[in-house]
Amino acid sequence: MNKQLLCSLAAALLTACAAPATHVGLPLQQAWFQGRLVDYVTTDISDGAMARALGVNHVPALAQALAPAAPGRPRTPVERVYKFADGEQLSVFPSVPRPVGGENRDAGYSPLWALVEVRWRAGSQPRLLASEEAILEAEQAGELALRHTGIVVNCPVVRVAGQGALRDLR
């Protein structure tokens, strides 16, 4: 085979792997990030009951991503997502890709999230909390109880209000 034909064949194969042949539809969900609405999709959850309830993949191995960092071991790629008990308000993410897409420069962003359950304490006045900072301030003031569930979810952020979206997002 001549070199030009071989290079063309290799380029065609690489393009075929990268180019989507079809589009699929996934339900968009919304959450808060620093007072802005973001859209995300949920594809995988380490908890079987939640996975069945949402109709997503049950992936018990995701929980292994919560293993604590140790000397010589890389930092875990999991951040917290704050989920309000009983759906009292939208969830809150502490980070998003900036910007969304292939130009993301936020090295700390990961679509893997450790689910933290948020509950208002008795006597507290529920209100909208649209950032991690607001949640942590309310917890420090004794208004909220936070519970680390040990559940990991895969929820890529696909659009941030005022900051863009993944290409071809419909």
Side-chain angles (χ1 to χ4, degrees):
M1 249 186 212
N2 76 28
K3 188 175 181 178
Q4 185 177 9
L5 180 60
L6 187 58
C7 287
S8 295
L9 180 59
L13 287 172
L14 289 173
T15 302
C17 291
T22 60
H23 282 86
V24 298
L26 294 171
L28 284 179
Q29 297 170 302
Q30 289 194 311
W32 291 104
F33 166 72
Q34 295 183 347
R36 290 187 175 171
L37 284 173
V38 302
D39 291 330
Y40 67 95
V41 295
T42 300
T43 57
D44 312 287
I45 298 179
S46 66
D47 181 79
M50 286 184 74
R52 284 186 294 281
L54 293 173
V56 301
N57 293 321
H58 175 217
V59 184
L62 280 178
Q64 295 173 18
L66 291 177
R73 187 165 171 216
R75 180 179 81 84
T76 177
V78 180
E79 282 199 85
R80 297 151 315 283
V81 60
Y82 300 93
K83 181 166 180 52
F84 284 74
D86 304 320
E88 296 156 327
Q89 76 158 65
L90 296 176
S91 296
V92 175
F93 290 134
S95 71
V96 296
R98 296 181 192 202
V100 175
E103 299 300 319
N104 173 39
R105 292 178 296 282
D106 184 345
Y109 167 75
S110 169
L112 297 180
W113 307 96
L115 192 114
V116 177
E117 181 184 74
V118 180
R119 288 191 180 272
W120 289 100
R121 292 189 185 274
S124 296
Q125 182 61 43
R127 63 187 181 284
L128 176 64
L129 301 175
S131 70
E132 180 180 46
E133 294 78 19
I135 288 172
L136 296 177
E137 286 172 8
E139 180 199 27
Q140 195 163 28
E143 298 174 284
L144 294 177
L146 302 181
R147 183 178 71 87
H148 295 266
T149 65
I151 297 170
V152 176
V153 297
N154 182 19
C155 297
V157 172
V158 297
R159 180 174 25 220
V160 177
Q163 291 184 355
L166 289 181
R167 185 179 59 210
D168 296 335
L169 186 66
R170 296 176 185 168

